[in-house]
Amino acid sequence: MEIFGWSLCTIIFIVSISWLLIKPRKNNSPPTPFALPILGHLHLLQPPPHRALQALSQKHGAVVHLRFGSRAIVVVSSPSAAEQCFTTNDIIFANRPKSLAGKHLGYNHSTLGFSPYGNHWRNLRRIAAAHVFSAASVNRSAAARAEEIRFQAKKLAAAGHGGGEFRKVNLNALFLDLVYSAMMRIVAGKRWSEPADMFGPPTVMSLCDYFPVLRWVGFQGTEKKLVKMKKQRDYFLQGLIDESRKTIEMNKKKKKKKTIIEALLLLQEAEPETYTDEVVKGVIMVMFTAGTHSTSLTMEWAMAALLNRPDILEKAKNEIQMQVGCSRLVEDSDLSRLLYLHCIINETLRLFPAGPLLVPHFSSQHCTISGYEVPKDTTLIVNAWAIHRDSKVWENATEFEPERWFKESEAATGFKFVPFGMGRRACPGSGLAIRLMSLVLGTLIQCFEWRRVGRALVNMEEGSSGLSLQRLQPLEAMYRPRQSMATLLSQL
Ligand code: HEM
Ligand SMILES: *[C@@H]1O[C@H](CO)[C@@H](O)[C@H](O)[C@H]1NC(C)=O
Ligand SMILES: *[C@@H]1O[C@H](CO)[C@@H](O)[C@H](O)[C@H]1NC(C)=O
Ligand SMILES: *[C@@H]1O[C@H](CO)[C@@H](O)[C@H](O)[C@H]1NC(C)=O
Ligand SMILES: *[C@@H]1O[C@H](CO)[C@@H](O)[C@H](O)[C@H]1NC(C)=O
């Protein structure tokens, strides 16, 4: 949204002349704030958007109708309204709005995240579930995750070697590197060695989507940038596939464990029409686009929260010491016993949902939410961030209290906790993400002591980026290996 600047002022000036053309809203459509002609309500969207939309919902209600340029938007900010969107109206909202990003980065709206609801999407989702997201596949990729985590722990320990002094580490960079490499190991059996952040930051909607006219004037090169990004990504993904084609025969003989690409290519041999290169690319791509930033941001927020609450960090350490000990690293099979760690992760996802507004949905039919009429072709935005911080829904809503997850076991039920969305379009990667995050955080807490860089508390403000909940400042922290773990760390 930083793309406003002077052009916003110009637009406001020009269009203000046509004030009187505003149409009155229909009777039972949701409440709507006062709109400017042409711009609609975009001027109300001061970054970060989830805060601006929260303010609007506090003023106008849990269901608000807005217009961003040429698009009709409905913003939902209560559990009960969200529930209606993802139960009764789930199929109607199971679409995504068309966007420039979807056209270019989403292979003409044909990838899992961008595709409209229908056979093609169901097919992709089924393939991805079978080879990436199912419990069995997540189990199968455990070794890939463990290897990467061991690699990072070893690197941290080596950097800190000699003396027991604390050293500084940039956790933002560490987590991003770790997540890219973990995905790459799962997909192709090797570490990430491409440009650091090829698939970020996540893009869904840009100003050009709200004002199609801007496309024609090549507004700030938005479309050009997307085309260039797509080319780079496509080249990389095709490269991975071609490489695997060459090694697949060799690995078959060696009886090496199949990577995800190899599994998909073998299916391609049998059913070339279903498992086209585009489909294979689409499945792999979502792991890098949807799976990297979300996961690394969440871990960064978790560590930030823990650095500000050494008491919670200590409890987590004690739990790990009791359940796992010091003679080996945390493993997947320990995770079900590390309840407090899971509470910390849930609490992080509550206060800092990586997708504060989920991903936009799009209605294929007219429907009603909380009694309000919502027409066909409306973009649905669910303000998960606002729901998670609503004091009518949560006690001590803005406090970081992992213990609450012990007390209210029903906390997770209903629609007051939706960091991964709900319904048909919910995040298929939640299981994988939780496993990865638990293992990483568990290992970091087990192996190292952590401290803030200065005395002051870590700043918990978020940046202004639209789709993902970035920290205002990348997180840095001080760490040193735990004495009790020294032997193990030296053997990694
Ligand atoms: C903490 C980590 C993560 C968070 C908070 C998160 C959150 C979300 C959210 C909010 C959505 C949109 C739901 C909706 O439309 O209502 C989503 C969709 C999606 N996520 Fe995740 N996600 C995470 C990790 C992952 C991972 C690791 C992967 C894959 C490896 C992944 C793959 C996807 C895909 C493919 C979709 C699109 C699904 C569809 O449109 O059918 N996510 N995620
Ligand atoms: C993109 O997909 C639509 C249908 O969803 C189709 O009509 C259009 O021709 C496609 N465009 C390109 C460039 O493939
Ligand atoms: C995954 O592994 C766990 C043990 O780590 C096991 O209990 C579970 O049954 C496995 N799930 C599947 C679907 O293989
Ligand atoms: C964390 O939240 C999930 C729902 O997303 C719930 O199933 C789980 O029980 C929660 N974990 C704990 C430890 O409360
Ligand atoms: C809210 O905070 C109060 C005081 O700190 C505490 O006693 C209470 O248990 C908290 N409630 C929850 C649900 O954590």
Side-chain angles (χ1 to χ4, degrees):
M1 287 298 152
E2 71 283 355
I3 20 183
F4 282 154
W6 62 269
S7 44
L8 178 68
C9 305
T10 329
I11 297 176
I12 293 179
F13 178 74
I14 297 170
V15 299
S16 296
I17 300 162
S18 39
W19 268 127
L20 295 170
L21 298 177
I22 311 168
K23 287 188 217 121
R25 72 182 173 92
K26 286 194 209 97
N27 280 342
N28 53 349
S29 76
T32 185
F34 194 66
L36 295 178
I38 302 186
L39 264 190
H41 301 93
L42 262 180
H43 65 292
L44 297 177
L45 213 61
Q46 302 296 340
H50 52 270
R51 283 193 190 265
L53 294 177
Q54 181 194 41
L56 285 181
S57 70
Q58 282 166 350
K59 201 158 155 210
H60 298 277
V63 183
V64 179
H65 171 85
L66 299 175
R67 200 162 47 73
F68 295 168
S70 57
R71 298 213 185 212
I73 312 274
V74 63
V75 183
V76 158
S77 320
S78 76
S80 63
E83 179 166 8
Q84 290 183 20
C85 296
F86 295 134
T87 52
T88 330
N89 297 324
D90 194 38
I91 292 188
I92 294 177
F93 281 119
N95 288 284
R96 302 280 188 211
K98 293 261 192 288
S99 65
L100 274 185
K103 180 180 165 196
H104 296 298
L105 304 181
Y107 293 89
N108 194 20
H109 301 98
S110 72
T111 60
L112 189 47
F114 284 113
S115 169
Y117 181 66
N119 280 334
H120 176 72
W121 171 83
R122 258 194 301 273
N123 190 34
L124 279 180
R125 189 104 181 180
R126 187 181 51 77
I127 293 172
H131 299 285
V132 186
F133 298 125
S134 65
S137 332
V138 173
N139 270 5
R140 246 180 276 129
S141 55
R145 289 189 294 278
E147 270 166 40
E148 178 58 25
I149 290 163
R150 217 176 302 130
F151 175 90
Q152 298 283 356
K154 186 176 168 178
K155 206 164 103 181
L156 276 177
H161 106 106
E165 277 132 62
F166 277 88
R167 291 185 143 249
K168 188 149 69 173
V169 59
N170 178 337
L171 284 174
N172 174 281
L174 184 146
F175 286 143
L176 205 59
D177 179 51
L178 186 156
V179 169
Y180 266 100
S181 281
M183 292 299 165
M184 189 73 160
R185 284 184 199 260
I186 295 174
V187 166
K190 58 182 187 184
R191 287 204 81 236
W192 180 261
S193 59
E194 306 295 321
D197 193 12
M198 184 186 290
F199 289 91
T203 1
V204 174
M205 301 293 273
S206 73
L207 213 51
C208 293
D209 294 315
Y210 303 126
F211 300 101
V213 64
L214 292 177
R215 268 181 76 181
W216 305 117
V217 298
F219 185 71
Q220 298 203 340
T222 307
E223 190 155 12
K224 257 197 200 141
K225 269 185 238 159
L226 289 173
V227 171
K228 199 174 144 212
M229 238 198 269
K230 183 217 155 139
K231 255 197 190 140
Q232 189 194 20
R233 293 177 182 188
D234 189 61
Y235 182 79
F236 159 73
L237 293 169
Q238 190 64 51
L240 276 187
I241 292 180
D242 294 344
E243 194 180 305
S244 293
R245 273 213 183 91
K246 282 188 216 131
T247 55
I248 198 166
E249 291 303 320
M250 217 160 62
N251 288 345
K252 249 193 243 167
K253 278 184 211 118
K254 280 198 254 163
K255 297 229 169 89
K256 242 177 88 177
K257 232 177 165 178
K258 280 200 297 278
T259 63
I260 285 182
I261 298 197
E262 287 171 353
L264 291 171
L265 288 179
L266 285 175
L267 291 165
Q268 192 180 52
E269 283 173 20
E271 284 180 67
E273 320 80 44
T274 313
Y275 298 90
T276 60
D277 274 12
E278 293 267 291
V279 166
V280 176
K281 269 189 255 181
V283 170
I284 302 164
M285 188 164 70
V286 296
M287 304 192 60
F288 292 114
T289 49
T292 47
H293 275 255
S294 50
T295 312
S296 68
L297 282 177
T298 307
M299 294 194 288
E300 203 186 341
W301 283 112
M303 282 304 282
L306 291 176
L307 288 168
N308 281 348
R309 289 291 302 273
D311 56 319
I312 295 177
L313 186 56
E314 180 74 13
K315 271 196 199 171
K317 184 207 80 180
N318 291 341
E319 181 184 62
I320 294 169
Q321 243 168 22
M322 199 139 90
Q323 300 290 347
V324 184
C326 310
S327 58
R328 61 176 179 82
L329 295 183
V330 178
E331 291 166 9
D332 267 37
S333 55
D334 299 315
L335 297 180
S336 59
R337 281 174 287 121
L338 299 178
L339 265 188
Y340 193 65
L341 181 63
H342 198 171
C343 292
I344 289 174
I345 288 174
N346 276 6
E347 187 66 348
T348 306
L349 288 166
R350 185 182 70 83
L351 279 179
F352 311 103
L357 303 174
L358 306 185
V359 174
H361 294 243
F362 195 69
S363 63
S364 58
Q365 274 177 52
H366 172 276
C367 64
T368 61
I369 307 175
S370 303
Y372 294 118
E373 306 287 328
V374 175
K376 182 173 183 276
D377 295 340
T378 301
T379 297
L380 168 69
I381 292 178
V382 176
N383 196 342
W385 185 86
I387 295 175
H388 293 179
R389 287 172 178 243
D390 188 342
S391 54
K392 293 195 290 293
V393 179
W394 295 92
E395 217 181 306
N396 308 338
T398 54
E399 299 295 318
F400 189 81
E401 284 174 3
E403 283 78 8
R404 77 171 75 236
W405 292 92
F406 287 134
K407 278 185 233 156
E408 23 183 338
S409 55
E410 82 282 11
T413 61
F415 288 74
K416 61 189 219 182
F417 182 61
V418 289
F420 297 108
M422 285 285 190
R424 287 171 174 72
R425 280 283 186 168
C427 178
S430 57
L432 179 59
I434 297 226
R435 284 265 201 117
L436 179 58
M437 296 190 298
S438 310
L439 207 63
V440 172
L441 295 174
T443 307
L444 291 185
I445 295 170
Q446 179 190 32
C447 295
F448 305 99
E449 289 173 56
W450 294 94
R451 231 183 235 183
R452 297 193 292 269
V453 173
R455 282 241 187 107
L457 288 180
V458 174
N459 182 351
M460 298 301 268
E461 277 176 277
E462 67 269 30
S464 59
S465 137
L467 183 70
S468 58
L469 196 77
Q470 237 132 2
R471 288 177 47 75
L472 184 60
Q473 294 145 352
L475 181 65
E476 290 187 322
M478 308 298 288
Y479 76 97
R480 70 175 175 202
R482 288 191 194 282
Q483 210 109 66
S484 55
M485 299 297 290
T487 326
L488 182 63
L489 282 170
S490 68
Q491 292 162 355
L492 286 180

